[in-house]
Amino acid sequence: MTVNRRMVLGSFLAAGALLGGRARAAAAQGGSAPAQPNNAHAEPGNAAAAAPQPVHETLADKQYRPNIHFSPPTGFMNDPNGLIFDGHYYHLYYQYNPFGPYAGHVHWGHAVSTDLYTWQDLPIAIRETEAGEAYSGCAVLDRDNRSGLFPPRTQEKPQPGSVETAAQKAAQLFPSLPEDEQERRSVDRQAQGLLDETSTNTGLLKQLNDHPVSRDQSPVPMAPALPPMAGGLVAIYTRATPQRQTQYVAWSPDGGLTLKDYEGNPVLDIGHNSFRDPKVIWHAPTEKWVMVVVRSREHKVSFYGSFDLKHWMHLSDFGPSGITGVDYECPALAEVEVEGETPGEKRWVLFVSINPGGPQGGSITQYFVGQFDGERFTPDDTIVDLTDFGKDSYALQTYENMPGNQTVYVAWLDNWQYCEELPNKSWRGIMTIPRKVVLRRDTSGWLRIAQNPYRLEALRQPAIPFALSRLEPQSSRQVALPTGEAVELLLDVSLEDRSSNLPDGDQGRAGRFVVVFSNRQGESLSIGFDGFSCQLWLDRSNLHGFSHPFFTGTFSSALVPGSRRVSLRIVLDACTLEVFANEGMSVGTALIYPANPLETLSLQVTNAAAVIHKVALYPLRQTVDRMEQG
């Protein structure tokens, strides 16, 4: 049956290629696209001159620059793209305007890491051209050169230096960084280790050997190398103009350092100007590539199939479903482990971003749990849920080729309602820390995602002493925060029953436990648990560094009904806050802008005593150093 389906699909793909060519020819002769907007977010940056403009760093640019979250050197960054592990490096491509701190003139920026925290900037990978801007997309490893995009290997396993491969030729042509940049990034080369020069990412490895990832003298842990392969890294992305959005393919001769557009682009053109953000996976059971892509204003996720990444056939559509908002954007499809059940059990999860129209306002990501047979996604039930109870996590993309087939994602830590008006001026845009995702059943038996920081423990420095086992009603304890450092706070707390002689009022009928970050100027950021309603809140409204009509101050999330116990994992890093409650079953992500640095951590209770089962406060080692950009 599988063989027959493959033959039928192959016939349709061939026909689709012919029809696609005719569609492109018709478009060239003046065919018109549907009259619908191509974006739900304006791009004032497109009005600027397409040439670098002087950027003057402000105090806010330094104050709000994170230490462990990726942010662009300058300019504007939004959606993560092309997230993939190539066997040596984790790649982070991203939507990027290098000309100013506004959306527009969209290129693909590029950085790589060996640990998903310590990032090395690389040159722009895909540029805006006369064909349009380089909108969101993905990357895959075409190991067997099924696409036919890669030149034939001259030997099955060439020895280093014995044969000059296409990748090596490309690497020699790649311009080196200026001498002062080389000197600034120079560290102990032996910490980097010896790399396999026979890998397809020869060019990238050469560049990174010259400019290693580590910014300090600590060794950089190396992942095991992939064996030599016939193919390599391929990007699939959207070329966008106001009139049309089409899907392009680009292949890399040097492991992702440079991306060359396929001469036959576009590979998918349906005549829409609101058709974007492809995410491609390899579906092993049906032995084909599957693309999920949105017809955004129609609130549909379309599924396409291909055997070679160049010819695509429409398989099915999903939606409208869940929360529609104005536009669907940035779909992602991943097979996710079900935790605590039959070993190896998995379900498919379809993530769909919405903008604007999220319940919290503006941009948000929803997800559906279900089955995928290689052609059609079928949700298990009518439940739709959000990835975040805050409003600053959007456009998530999962990493391809993760070790152990883990599901790990990165999202844009921002919101289109205010991302172009933030107080930092020379750069804008931040990525979340990487998050591992599993599926876990909630108290009602529904499968929901649980998400937690991925290997953040490696950044921990010695804990700050903060011994505490109990807080009496109406009491608090506090500790000083390290200046200018990211911190991680771990808590496991139970509220005791409220004594009958304690009042009700605004202190919570069953008591509240509150985490407060504050400063001497009277600003405060609070994360609290209400024992009566069993809900968690996040309140950034008493910070005074940024004001905007859409910069909502408070958010909340329902936790386990009837439970007076809560666990919290809080990561605070400059202008970013990420809260993981109850082992990642509820997650809140928020930008924060105190006018002055937060310098004190307080743990407080109101009308009930609290038992502190665990408390630990860790400074986190800086991994992204942007001070030299000033």
Side-chain angles (χ1 to χ4, degrees):
M1 183 64 178
T2 301
V3 174
N4 290 337
R5 291 181 63 82
R6 181 182 175 93
M7 292 174 61
V8 171
L9 182 57
S11 299
F12 277 120
L13 288 173
L18 177 60
L19 292 174
R22 290 174 179 170
R24 288 191 291 271
Q29 295 173 10
S32 59
Q36 56 179 303
N38 69 340
N39 261 323
H41 41 82
E43 297 190 343
N46 281 328
Q53 302 296 310
V55 174
H56 302 287
E57 189 176 51
T58 67
L59 179 62
D61 292 324
K62 296 181 179 180
Q63 177 181 348
Y64 299 129
R65 176 79 82 173
N67 289 326
I68 67 169
H69 292 72
F70 183 84
S71 58
T74 58
F76 182 88
M77 176 183 76
N78 52 293
D79 308 352
N81 298 154
L83 304 187
I84 193 166
F85 176 59
D86 69 8
H88 282 294
Y89 297 104
Y90 297 93
H91 292 258
L92 169 62
Y93 299 95
Y94 53 90
Q95 298 282 271
Y96 184 46
N97 178 6
F99 305 128
Y102 305 98
H105 297 297
V106 184
H107 299 57
W108 272 31
H110 188 198
V112 292
S113 173
T114 58
D115 62 1
L116 286 171
Y117 290 98
T118 309
W119 293 99
Q120 171 68 59
D121 298 306
L122 291 173
I124 288 171
I126 302 177
R127 295 185 176 275
E128 177 186 28
T129 69
E130 292 182 356
E133 297 175 87
Y135 272 21
S136 293
C138 63
V140 298
L141 280 179
D142 180 16
R143 300 172 186 271
D144 301 320
N145 197 18
R146 294 171 183 266
S147 65
L149 293 169
F150 296 88
R153 296 179 67 87
T154 54
Q155 285 181 232
E156 182 61 25
K157 292 184 179 180
Q159 296 300 313
S162 62
V163 176
E164 187 176 41
T165 65
Q168 289 169 326
K169 292 179 181 178
Q172 292 172 5
L173 295 174
F174 194 82
S176 60
L177 295 173
E179 289 186 4
D180 59 341
E181 182 79 349
Q182 294 181 25
E183 181 177 356
R184 179 178 63 79
R185 297 188 184 183
S186 177
V187 297
D188 184 359
R189 288 177 55 106
Q190 291 183 353
Q192 187 70 12
L194 296 176
L195 301 176
D196 178 8
E197 291 294 333
T198 68
S199 173
T200 57
N201 53 8
T202 303
L204 179 58
L205 300 182
K206 179 180 184 299
Q207 178 79 356
L208 290 170
N209 274 338
D210 293 339
H211 315 290
V213 172
S214 178
R215 291 179 183 269
D216 55 28
Q217 296 298 320
S218 60
V220 179
M222 294 303 301
L226 287 174
M229 64 181 76
L233 189 147
V234 178
I236 305 95
Y237 70 100
T238 300
R239 276 283 178 201
T241 69
Q243 295 75 36
R244 195 174 297 265
Q245 293 181 353
T246 58
Q247 313 319 313
Y248 270 50
V249 164
W251 64 281
S252 177
D254 48 22
L257 186 60
T258 56
L259 290 166
K260 300 174 60 175
D261 275 342
Y262 165 53
E263 293 180 357
N265 281 325
V267 296
L268 184 57
D269 180 358
I270 65 170
H272 267 252
N273 69 343
S274 192
F275 176 60
R276 59 181 177 270
D277 307 342
K279 171 67 172 176
V280 175
I281 63 170
W282 173 253
H283 189 256
T286 56
E287 297 185 349
K288 68 175 182 291
W289 304 100
V290 172
M291 175 195 296
V292 288
V293 60
V294 290
R295 284 149 59 181
S296 57
R297 194 55 56 90
E298 297 174 32
H299 306 116
K300 288 186 178 181
V301 179
S302 293
F303 295 82
Y304 288 81
S306 175
F307 296 127
D308 63 1
L309 296 173
K310 297 183 294 189
H311 305 94
W312 294 90
M313 186 192 77
H314 181 255
L315 301 174
S316 65
D317 292 317
F318 175 80
S321 190
I323 302 165
T324 56
V326 174
D327 274 344
Y328 273 5
E329 292 189 315
C330 302
L333 181 66
E335 197 172 19
V336 180
E337 172 193 357
V338 179
E339 190 177 76
E341 299 191 6
T342 306
E345 183 175 356
K346 294 185 175 183
R347 287 286 200 286
W348 289 91
V349 179
L350 177 63
F351 300 93
V352 183
S353 290
I354 312 148
N355 180 68
Q360 300 94 319
S363 316
I364 199 66
T365 301
Q366 64 184 335
Y367 68 91
F368 307 86
V369 179
Q371 309 288 340
F372 181 68
D373 62 3
E375 293 187 9
R376 187 176 301 276
F377 177 81
T378 306
D380 285 350
D381 45 55
T382 58
I383 301 298
V384 57
D385 210 341
L386 304 178
T387 61
D388 208 283
F389 71 84
K391 64 183 296 181
D392 294 325
S393 178
Y394 187 67
L396 75 79
Q397 186 170 127
T398 55
Y399 262 92
E400 292 300 307
N401 195 46
M402 278 297 294
N405 294 319
Q406 301 172 92
T407 303
V408 175
Y409 82 80
V410 169
W412 182 45
L413 207 162
D414 218 320
N415 193 303
W416 279 110
Q417 286 187 326
Y418 38 74
C419 61
E420 297 172 289
E421 302 176 59
L422 298 174
N424 39 303
K425 304 297 184 183
S426 66
W427 64 272
R428 287 186 175 126
I430 300 169
M431 296 301 178
T432 65
I433 58 175
R435 300 172 178 179
K436 180 181 177 180
V437 175
V438 297
L439 285 167
R440 188 183 303 153
R441 294 198 183 273
D442 64 13
T443 54
S444 300
W446 302 113
L447 282 174
R448 296 175 54 203
I449 65 168
Q451 43 186 323
N452 285 286
Y454 180 70
R455 296 185 175 179
L456 182 63
E457 297 83 357
L459 305 187
R460 290 176 183 168
Q461 300 184 92
I464 296 171
F466 194 23
L468 182 62
S469 60
R470 180 180 171 84
L471 282 172
E472 297 297 330
Q474 306 288 350
S475 68
S476 66
R477 284 284 298 277
Q478 65 184 38
V479 65
L481 293 170
T483 303
E485 293 191 60
V487 295
E488 177 189 20
L489 174 65
L490 303 179
L491 284 165
D492 185 359
V493 179
S494 293
L495 284 173
E496 296 183 349
D497 291 335
R498 180 175 68 92
S499 300
S500 59
N501 62 343
L502 291 174
D504 287 332
D506 62 358
Q507 299 296 304
R509 289 179 60 187
R512 292 171 179 160
F513 174 81
V514 191
V515 178
V516 180
F517 298 93
S518 61
N519 58 31
R520 284 169 288 184
Q521 289 77 22
E523 296 178 282
S524 63
L525 166 70
S526 68
I527 302 97
F529 172 65
D530 182 88
F532 179 75
S533 63
C534 303
Q535 294 187 71
L536 185 75
W537 80 80
L538 186 165
D539 186 354
R540 63 184 180 185
S541 61
N542 195 37
L543 302 176
H544 308 314
F546 179 57
S547 178
H548 189 282
F550 295 132
F551 197 68
T552 314
T554 57
F555 312 96
S556 63
S557 176
L559 301 182
V560 179
S563 174
R564 298 175 64 81
R565 185 167 180 168
V566 62
S567 68
L568 296 173
R569 188 174 185 180
I570 299 171
V571 180
L572 178 68
D573 181 18
C575 68
T576 70
L577 175 72
E578 293 172 87
V579 179
F580 303 85
N582 290 348
E583 304 300 322
M585 290 295 284
S586 292
V587 174
T589 307
L591 289 169
I592 57 167
Y593 291 100
N596 300 278
L598 300 173
E599 55 194 6
T600 302
L601 164 66
S602 300
L603 302 184
Q604 307 172 359
V605 291
T606 59
N607 289 352
V611 176
I612 314 298
H613 304 284
K614 179 178 183 178
V615 58
L617 178 62
Y618 296 99
L620 299 174
R621 173 174 55 85
Q622 183 172 358
T623 58
V624 183
D625 183 3
R626 297 293 191 199
M627 295 304 292
E628 70 273 12
Q629 298 294 338

